[in-house]
Amino acid sequence: MKPDLFQAPDYYQLDDLLTEEHKLIRDAAREWTKREVSPIIEEAAQNAVFPKSIINGLAEIGAFGPYIPVKYGGAGLDQISYGLIMQEIERGDSGVRSTASVQSSLVMYPIWKYGNEAQRNKYLPKLASGEFMGCFGLTEPDHGSNPSGMVTNIKDMGDHYLLNGAKMWISNAPFADVAVVWAKNEAGRIKGVIVDRGMEGFTTPETHNKWSLRASATGELIFDNVKIPKENILPNKDGLGAPLGCLDSARYGIAWGAIGAAMDCYDTALRYAKERIQFGKPIASFQLQQKKLAEMITEITKAQLLTWRLGVLRNEGKATSAQISMAKRNNVDMALHIAREARQVLGAMGITGEYSIMRHMMNLESVITYEGTHDIHLLITGLDITGIPAFK
Ligand code: TGC
Ligand code: FAD
C-alpha cells in the first residue's frame, strides 16, 4: 500500500469551532492511525483478520469509552471528542472504528447506564483498557430491522436464568470476552444480559466470506441452555428502548466516522488527480474531474457542519434520536457516494489495494446497513416529521 500522506480537508475553517483539547485529542488519534493502522490495514483486510495488535493503541488514544467517566476507566471526554476519535480511526478503516464503537457504545454504555455499581466496577475498567473485548447481540437471523420480534429468551429458574436463542452478524463476536445480549423474559419484556465467554452452552462461530469490513471479525452468538447468574442481568432499564438507547450513541459515532472515510477518499483522489497525467495534462485540469472533487469537498463540508452541531446538541443533552438518525443516514450515504466517485478518479488503480478507496467503499456497504439501514433511518425521519410510523 502507498505511504499514508493524508491531509485533512477543512474547507470552512471548522477547526475554529473546536477547543484546544478537541484538537489535541483529534491530532493524537490522527497520528496514531497514520502510524499504527495505515501500514497494516490493507494486509489485514486482504487476509480477513482483525488486527489484534491495535487493541492496546485504541485503548491508549481513548477509543474505548471516550465519554465514560474516569472513575470507571473511561476517558471522561465530551461528545465532540468522542466523535473526532471515531472520525480519525474510520479514516483508517471502518472495521477499526466498528470495533471501538461496539466496545464503547454498545458494551460499555449499557453497562454504565443500565448496570449496577458492581457490574460497572467489574467490567468497565477492563473494557476501557482493552483487557476485555466486548460485543453486542441484538440482531437475529429472522429479526434485523425489526428487533422487537426477537425470539432469544431467558427463563427464570429461581436462582439463575436459562438463556436460549441465537444472534447473527455480531461484530467482535469471535474473540469477545463479554457479550451484552438482548433477550425476552417470560413476560415478553426485553432485558439486557451480560454473557461471559466460557459459560457452558455459549459459542461464537465466525462468519466468513465477507467482501466488506474484512478487517473486523463478525460472528454468531449461540445460546444453548446457558446458565446466567442473576447478577448478570442489567437491572436499570428494559424494553426495546434500552438497546435503541445504545444505538443512539453508536449511530452518533458512525456519523463522525463516515466523514473520516470520506475525507480519506477525497484526499487520495485529489492528490492522484494532480499527479496523474493524461493527454499531456494532470487529470485534475479536466472539468469532469474537478466536478467530482468539488462536489466531494462540498458534501464533506456540509456533513462536518451537521455533525459538529449534533455534537453540541449531544453535549447539551438535547440531541434527539431522529437527529442522530438523520446524521448517520446522510453521512454514510455521502461517504459511500464519495468513495464511488473517488474510485473512478483513480481509474484502474482505484480497484487495487495500493490505495484505500476500494476498501473504504466495500466497508461502507456494511456501514450503510448496520445500526439501522439507510431505509430505516429515512422512515425514522418520516415518523419524526409526520408523526406517522411507516415501518409496519
Ligand atoms: P418503537 O415502538 O418505535 O420503539 C420501542 C421503544 O423504544 C423507544 N425508542 C428509542 N429509545 C431510545 N433510542 C431510540 N433511538 C429509540 N427509538 C425508539 C420508543 O420510545 C419505545 O419506547 P417505549 O417506552 O414506548 O417502549 O419500536 P419499533 O419496534 O416500531 O421499531 C422502530 C425501529 C424500526 C426504528 C427500530 O426497531 C430500529 O431502529 N430498527 C433498526 C435496528 C438496528 O438498528 N439494529 C442495529 C443492531 S446493532 C448493530 O448493527 C451494530 S453494528 C456495530 C458496528 O460494528 O459498528
Ligand atoms: P433486513 O431487516 O432483512 O432488511 C433487508 C432490507 O429490507 C433492507 O434494505 C431494509 O432497509 C429493508 N426493510 C426492512 N424493513 C423495512 C421497512 N419496514 N420498510 C422498508 N424497508 C424495510 N447487529 C448486532 O446486533 N450487533 C452487531 O455487532 C452487528 N454488527 C454487524 C456487522 C456487520 C458487518 C453487518 C453487515 C451487520 C451487523 N449487524 C449487527 C446487523 C445489522 O444491524 C443488520 O444487518 C441490520 O439491522 C439490518 O438487518 P438485516 O440485515 O436483517 O436486514
Side-chain angles (χ1 to χ4, degrees):
M1 195 178 155
K2 296 266 182 213
D4 184 351
L5 303 172
F6 177 67
Q7 287 186 325
D10 182 13
Y11 202 72
Y12 261 44
Q13 297 164 31
L14 293 168
D15 263 20
D16 293 352
L17 299 173
L18 303 178
T19 64
E20 285 310 308
E21 190 188 23
H22 289 149
K23 285 185 257 188
L24 278 173
I25 289 160
R26 191 264 322 268
D27 293 348
R30 185 169 290 169
E31 280 313 304
W32 178 80
T33 300
K34 202 170 247 194
R35 200 176 59 244
E36 303 293 336
V37 178
S38 297
I40 56 129
I41 197 64
E42 182 61 30
E43 195 181 334
Q46 294 278 0
N47 295 337
V49 289
F50 169 67
K52 285 193 180 161
S53 59
I54 62 174
I55 286 177
N56 287 344
L58 280 167
E60 276 161 25
I61 61 166
F64 294 157
Y67 52 80
I68 300 287
V70 174
K71 71 172 175 165
Y72 299 121
L77 301 172
D78 75 345
Q79 289 291 313
I80 291 182
S81 303
Y82 160 44
L84 288 165
I85 294 172
M86 296 301 115
Q87 172 186 286
E88 294 306 318
I89 58 184
E90 189 147 3
R91 207 277 298 170
D93 190 79
S94 301
V96 177
R97 196 268 311 134
S98 253
T99 297
S101 288
V102 170
Q103 184 90 343
S104 300
S105 292
L106 301 182
V107 179
M108 297 178 74
Y109 178 89
I111 293 174
W112 174 44
K113 283 283 176 186
Y114 315 146
N116 58 32
E117 200 57 13
Q119 292 167 337
R120 291 184 194 118
N121 288 324
K122 178 172 174 189
Y123 291 102
L124 293 179
K126 287 185 175 160
L127 288 161
S129 69
E131 184 182 340
F132 277 2
M133 292 302 291
C135 68
F136 174 91
L138 181 64
T139 304
E140 299 188 353
D142 294 330
H143 301 95
S145 298
N146 178 26
S148 73
M150 70 172 65
V151 293
T152 296
N153 62 86
I154 46 170
K155 203 178 271 181
D156 194 338
M157 304 303 285
D159 62 341
H160 65 274
Y161 288 95
L162 271 190
L163 173 64
N164 279 290
K167 301 287 176 178
M168 198 177 178
W169 297 114
I170 307 304
S171 301
N172 299 358
F175 58 83
D177 304 285
V178 45
V180 170
V181 174
W182 301 93
K184 280 184 183 162
N185 66 11
E186 287 106 322
R189 194 78 184 151
I190 293 172
K191 306 284 288 182
V193 183
I194 305 175
V195 184
D196 298 308
R197 183 169 294 282
M199 286 180 169
E200 209 178 323
F202 173 43
T203 48
T204 60
E206 183 155 2
T207 302
H208 296 288
N209 288 332
K210 291 181 299 166
W211 283 112
S212 177
L213 282 195
R214 288 172 62 80
S216 159
T218 313
E220 295 169 58
L221 304 176
I222 297 174
F223 313 107
D224 180 9
N225 280 322
V226 183
K227 213 171 153 180
I228 304 288
K230 291 219 154 163
E231 66 261 25
N232 280 36
I233 303 294
L234 297 174
N236 294 333
K237 192 166 167 90
D238 52 18
L240 187 61
L244 291 179
C246 308
L247 294 182
D248 274 359
S249 176
R251 290 166 176 173
Y252 167 76
I254 291 174
W256 282 91
I259 296 175
M263 291 199 304
D264 198 50
C265 293
Y266 163 75
D267 178 61
T268 303
L270 178 62
R271 188 171 307 106
Y272 188 89
K274 289 197 221 166
E275 287 168 3
R276 174 73 175 165
I277 308 292
Q278 287 295 287
F279 299 95
K281 289 180 185 171
I283 59 170
S285 62
F286 301 127
Q287 288 182 5
L288 286 174
Q289 304 314 313
Q290 288 194 4
K291 176 174 186 291
K292 289 192 182 76
L293 294 164
E295 287 177 351
M296 285 182 213
I297 190 62
T298 307
E299 291 307 314
I300 288 171
T301 304
K302 283 154 65 178
Q304 286 172 323
L305 281 161
L306 177 80
T307 314
W308 175 82
R309 174 65 187 152
L310 185 64
V312 171
L313 291 174
R314 290 271 295 171
N315 277 343
E316 294 170 353
K318 294 197 300 206
T320 65
S321 299
Q323 287 169 334
I324 295 167
S325 274
M326 181 184 280
K328 190 271 184 185
R329 180 174 187 274
N330 179 77
N331 292 8
V332 177
D333 190 52
M334 171 281 297
L336 188 51
H337 185 71
I338 285 179
R340 289 174 181 151
E341 293 290 289
R343 215 284 310 144
Q344 292 191 57
V345 173
L346 269 68
M349 285 312 292
I351 72 155
T352 72
E354 286 293 294
Y355 295 89
S356 55
I357 295 175
M358 190 82 183
R359 178 167 44 80
H360 282 306
M361 190 202 298
M362 294 194 301
N363 284 341
L364 288 162
E365 291 290 346
S366 284
V367 183
I368 205 164
T369 295
Y370 67 32
E371 303 267 9
T373 66
H374 193 61
D375 299 329
I376 290 294
H377 287 295
L378 179 129
L379 296 178
I380 291 172
T381 306
L383 166 61
D384 196 47
I385 58 178
T386 65
I388 306 168
F391 304 105
K392 349 184 176 185

